C-alpha cells in the first residue's frame, strides 16, 4: 500500500512522492518598488499538532497537520530544495491557491495552472501577482481582512498554509526514472573518459541558499508585502502525466509567538534582524533566472490583492536598498507521520 503520510525531518516537511518543503524566515520588503530576492535567515521550527493535543485549539486538532511560530508582519518563503523526483505541489494560503488565485481543489488544473512544478521551481516567496514577479508572503492576524483569503473570498475562515503533492503517474514516473538512470550513466562514462565538461547533469533542484539566502480558528494567515523578481514556472508536461489524485497533503497552522510558548513550552525564535543593518553589513541579496523556463501570467484574483500595510499602517522600519554588488545571480541557481484531518 502506498504511504500517504507527511513526515517531519528536522524542520523539513517530507510529502509523499518526494516533495520537500521548508519554511524560511526572511527580511520583509518595502511595499513599493520591485526588489531582488531577500536572504534566508534560518528555518521556522515546525511541530506536529498531534504532539500538543492538550494545548492546541480544538479546531486545530480537527484539521491535524503541523504548526510554526510567526510574528506579526514577519515574512517567509518556501524552499523546495531536496525534492528528488518530479512533483506538482499545490500551495494554498487560507485555501486560496497562491499560483492561480482560485479556490482550493483536489485536482490539478492547467488553465489557470494551480500548482508549481518541483524540482524546477526551487522556491516560492509569495503569490503570483505580476509578470516575472511575486508579492511576498507576510503574516497577519485573521479578522482584519488583510489576508489573501479575506481579499479574494470575502471571508477569513481557514488561515495558515495548505500543501498538497501530486507525483507523476506510474508509467511516466517509470519512464522518468529510466531516463535519469541513463543520463547518470552517460555522465559517469564522460567523467571516466575525461570528457565531463558540458555533459548532461541529473535533474535536481537548485541548491537553496539556506542561511545565506539560500495561527478556536487559526489566529494568523498570509497577506502580501513587497514585490520581488521571481518567476512561477509554467508546466511543460501534459496534465495527463500527473497522478489523478494527490499523494498527500498537510495543513500548516501559523501561531503567534505567545501562543507558541503557551502550546509548546518552547521560546520562539527572536524577530528577524533589522533589514537596514543587514544591507549595511554588505550581506547578499539574490537574483534567480532560468532561461529555459517560462513564467506563468498572473491571474485577476491575485493581481488585485492589496499589501498588509493598507490595514496595519505604514512600515516605519528603515529601508536601505542593496547595492548592485550585493545582488548575487543564481543558476543562469524521517520522523513520525503528520496526522491529516478535516479541512
Amino acid at each position: 500500500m502506498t504511504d500517504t503520510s507527511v513526515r517531519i525531518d528536522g524542520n523539513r516537511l517530507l510529502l509523499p512522492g518526494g516533495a520537500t518543503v521548508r519554511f524560511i524566515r526572511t527580511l520583509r520588503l518595502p511595499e513599493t518598488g520591485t526588489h531582488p530576492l531577500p536572504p534566508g535567515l534560518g528555518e521556522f521550527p515546525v511541530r506536529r499538532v498531534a504532539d500538543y493535543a492538550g494545548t492546541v485549539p480544538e479546531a486545530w486538532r480537527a484539521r491535524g497537520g503541523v504548526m510554526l511560530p510567526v510574528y506579526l508582519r514577519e515574512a517567509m518563503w518556501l524552499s523546495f530544495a531536496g525534492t528528488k523526483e518530479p512533483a506538482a505541489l499545490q500551495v494554498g494560503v487560507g485555501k486560496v491557491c497562491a499560483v492561480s488565485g482560485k479556490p482550493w481543489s483536489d485536482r490539478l488544473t492547467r488553465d489557470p495552472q494551480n500548482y508549481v512544478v518541483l524540482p524546477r521551481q526551487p522556491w516560492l516567496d509569495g503569490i503570483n501577482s505580476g509578470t516575472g514577479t511575486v508579492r511576498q508572503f507576510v503574516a497577519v492576524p485573521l479578522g482584519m481582512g488583510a489576508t489573501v483569503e479575506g481579499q479574494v473570498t470575502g471571508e477569513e475562515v481557514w488561515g495558515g498554509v495548505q500543501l498538497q503533492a501530486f507525483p507523476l503517474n506510474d508509467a511516466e514516473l517509470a519512464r522518468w526514472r529510466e531516463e535519469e538512470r541513463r543520463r547518470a550513466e552517460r555522465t559517469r562514462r564522460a567523467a571516466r573518459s575525461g570528457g565531463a565538461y558540458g555533459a548532461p547533469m541529473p535533474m535536481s533542484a537548485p541548491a537553496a541558499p539556506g542561511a545565506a539566502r539560500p495561527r478556536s480558528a487559526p489566529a494568523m494567515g498570509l497577506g502580501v508585502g513587497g514585490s520581488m523578481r521571481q518567476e512561477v514556472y509554467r508546466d511543460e508536461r501534459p496534465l495527463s502525466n500527473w497522478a489523478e489524485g494527490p499523494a498527500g497533503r498537510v495543513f500548516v497552522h501559523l501561531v503567534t509567538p505567545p501562543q507558541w510558548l503557551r502550546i509548546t513550552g518552547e521560546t520562539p525564535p527572536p524577530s528577524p534582524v533589522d533589514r537596514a543593518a543587514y544591507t549595511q553589513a554588505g550581506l547578499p541579496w539574490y537574483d534567480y533566472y532560468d532561461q529555459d523556463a517560462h513564467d506563468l501570467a498572473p491571474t485577476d484574483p491575485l493581481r488585485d490583492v492589496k499589501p498588509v500595510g493598507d490595514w496595519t499602517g505604514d512600515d516605519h522600519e528603515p529601508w536601505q536598498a542593496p547595492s548592485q554588488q550585493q545582488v548575487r545571480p543564481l543558476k543562469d541557481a524521517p520522523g513520525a507521520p503528520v496526522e491529516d484531518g478535516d479541512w
Side-chain angles (χ1 to χ4, degrees):
M1 178 179 294
T2 302
D3 185 5
T4 61
S5 300
V6 176
R7 298 179 183 272
I8 300 177
D9 179 13
N11 292 319
R12 298 188 306 162
L13 288 179
L14 308 179
L15 280 76
T20 296
V21 182
R22 293 184 300 143
F23 296 87
I24 308 297
R25 311 181 76 207
T26 191
L27 301 178
R28 193 176 71 254
L29 297 174
E31 293 176 356
T32 57
T34 301
H35 307 275
L37 300 177
L41 300 175
E43 301 171 346
F44 284 92
V46 177
R47 302 289 182 266
R48 297 193 319 152
V49 167
D51 291 337
Y52 301 92
T55 52
V56 296
E58 183 178 351
W60 296 13
R61 292 197 300 271
R63 292 171 187 168
V66 300
M67 57 187 173
L68 60 84
V70 61
Y71 289 82
L72 172 66
R73 291 181 72 167
E74 184 173 7
M76 69 168 64
W77 51 277
L78 277 59
S79 167
F80 309 129
T83 301
K84 297 296 193 297
E85 296 188 336
L89 182 71
Q90 294 176 325
V91 179
V93 286
K95 296 186 70 172
V96 172
C97 178
V99 177
S100 70
K102 299 297 185 181
W104 187 254
S105 171
D106 288 333
R107 296 283 182 178
L108 299 179
T109 63
R110 183 60 58 84
D111 187 21
Q113 183 174 310
N114 66 349
Y115 57 96
V116 293
V117 182
L118 311 186
R120 168 148 245 175
Q121 188 81 37
W123 43 67
L124 185 67
D125 287 60
I127 65 169
N128 179 32
S129 59
T131 302
T133 64
V134 301
R135 298 292 299 275
Q136 189 175 42
F137 291 133
V138 176
V140 284
L142 298 190
M144 300 174 63
T147 62
V148 176
E149 175 187 5
Q151 295 187 59
V152 172
T153 71
E155 298 181 299
E156 292 183 316
V157 176
W158 300 100
V161 177
Q162 298 76 40
L163 303 171
Q164 189 162 250
F166 294 71
L168 290 172
N169 63 43
D170 292 344
E172 289 300 323
L173 182 57
R175 183 179 296 114
W176 181 87
R177 287 172 174 170
E178 177 61 18
E179 290 174 353
E180 289 300 292
R181 186 193 65 78
R182 293 176 180 177
R183 183 179 292 115
E185 180 60 28
R186 289 196 298 270
T187 301
R188 285 193 294 269
R189 289 174 181 171
R192 287 196 296 269
S193 65
Y197 181 80
M201 294 300 291
M203 179 181 178
S204 62
R213 156 50 171 132
R215 358 217 217 311
S216 60
M220 302 283 276
L222 290 181
V224 301
S227 178
M228 72 190 78
R229 293 185 289 275
Q230 182 178 89
E231 295 179 321
V232 180
Y233 297 133
R234 188 175 70 215
D235 188 6
E236 302 296 338
R237 292 184 173 88
L239 195 61
S240 59
N241 282 14
W242 299 105
E244 291 187 4
R249 66 176 195 167
V250 62
F251 197 112
V252 183
H253 304 271
L254 306 181
V255 184
T256 64
Q259 197 172 26
W260 178 264
L261 178 61
R262 181 184 61 79
I263 291 172
T264 68
E266 301 177 27
T267 301
S271 186
V273 66
D274 173 86
R275 65 194 185 196
Y278 183 97
T279 301
Q280 289 167 1
L283 299 172
W285 295 67
Y286 297 89
D287 224 346
Y288 182 88
Y289 176 65
D290 186 339
Q291 63 181 2
D292 298 321
H294 300 280
D295 185 36
L296 286 177
T299 62
D300 289 338
L302 296 182
R303 185 188 287 115
D304 299 329
V305 171
K306 300 292 189 286
V308 300
D310 285 12
W311 284 264
T312 59
D314 293 336
D315 180 4
H316 299 293
E317 188 178 347
W319 167 248
Q320 178 174 329
S323 68
Q324 186 173 356
Q325 292 74 25
Q326 285 177 263
V327 181
R328 298 182 181 177
L330 300 174
K331 192 177 169 65
D332 304 347
V338 175
E339 294 184 6
D340 190 22
D342 296 327
W343 48 277

